[in-house]
Amino acid sequence: MDAVIESRGAHFIYIWDIENASDVQFSECIRSSIFSTDSEVMEKTKWHLTMDPGKEFLTFFIRRVEDDGPDTIEIDYEISLLSADGYPLAKTKERKRFRKSSIFALRRLVSTDEVFNEKKDEFLSKDTLRIQCRIWRTNFDILKGDLEYVRTRRNIYRISFIWAIKNFSTLRQNEKRIHIINPTSKKVPQIILTFYLQEKLGKEDVFIQIRKDSESSCNLIHGKMNLLDVDGRVYHFIETQKYVSLDEDSNWLSSVTYPKHKLVANKEHLLPNDILTFRCEFEIDTEPLCCQIETYTDFITSDLEYIAAGLPEIQFNNIPGASRFQTFLADCFKQGTLSDVCLRAGSESFPVHKLILSVSSPVFKAIFTKNMQEKSAGFVDISDVDPDTLRLLLSYIYTNTVPMLQWERAAQLLTAADKYELLDLREQCSAVLISNLSVNNCCSILRIADIHNDHNLRTVVHGFMIKHNTEIFKSDMWKTFKEENFILAMDTTERIICLMKSRVDE
């Protein structure tokens, strides 16, 4: 029987923001915190949600946990996925009688591919999946309701490194080369890679075994082994994924194989100087962290419809292995505790601390020490940085960390770091640009290097252009770049010609 759901209002609304939502697609399940309400109508019942991002459809489970409420309670409940401005993009509803510890599933709410790929911009605004659960006690009037808002951030530990197998041609069967990855966080297991040759059915294959140590636990390990050619490009890759049960005794994760004869047949490209090279990438999913819970009681039900869109959206990174002082600073930034000035960018405001910003940036120090109107007004307008970039810059000042960035955002953050003389942040942004160099963006990154006089970045771009000179210099992109940046294009051409000549002479 379909539930008869009121078009407005509810006895209880639970809004669950899952940050780093792109990573959830690789998780087995993710569970919310337990939520309850002070409403007399709901009689002290307690609940939680579980989301299963299946291969085809998202499935939600709502469970009533052990509580002090009645033996059974009948409710109407609705689960929806919300857009950034609070409108439902997908919605489903049911009516059930719940005993203590009973659980019911809402299946096929929306396709997994639609959420994480086809309509990602709609469902994952700022990489956050917003889930709303509304609950009505059947046959009870609705006068006032409760709201609870919770954020959950997945802790994804990423490791990337180059593994070079030297003297490949001299390897004997079952001779093992071992590479051990020692993580910096105690929550992340040690990963052990073993490389060897083995003959099966008359054919010799390359084997790579992947294991973890027995002391650390995690939910998921997702790995990618990229076989690189002589130019550092990916020739072949193999992905491996392993869900790890907490009570699982086995440390075995996966095994990767590749025919040896294919490597030998193409040794000029795959075995330069008799070295086989892999770029290894691992994502390790540790336990979720609920970093903020906000509860609102006795709201008029008609107002509850508009709360979701107005909730704070400051992104905050958990800092593995942080000292007590670092944690204190991070909490001060997150909560705005003891702040003595407010930075304003666009329509957003950021409570901050003059002393902390002044120590980190001589530009901020100059702003706060000058006799200016903002000094007495208690705010400073930052007109040259957009709110998202300012948020990242402040997060770096308080936590000394930078999240995973797309190259465009890294470019914007580099500009802000340069302006406010945050040299370490500038170097980190430059490293992100280097790691994301491609034929399509090398001209844009070259211009960034020139604007900020980043010699190292410019040198790397020149080297990349030499490797891909045919693709770049015959493209419409380069033609447009020359028209818009004539002097820089001429200087770049001269430098590249000199570099190519010197390599030939060597």
Side-chain angles (χ1 to χ4, degrees), residues 367-384:
I367 291 174
F368 297 141
T369 53
K370 284 182 179 178
N371 184 16
M372 55 194 303
Q373 181 180 354
E374 289 91 338
K375 184 176 179 181
S376 58
F379 63 84
V380 176
D381 285 316
I382 306 296
S383 58
D384 53 356

Side-chain angles (χ1 to χ4, degrees), residues 340-353:
D340 53 5
V341 70
C342 195
L343 303 186
R344 301 193 306 197
S347 60
E348 296 193 40
S349 299
F350 302 89
V352 294
H353 309 79

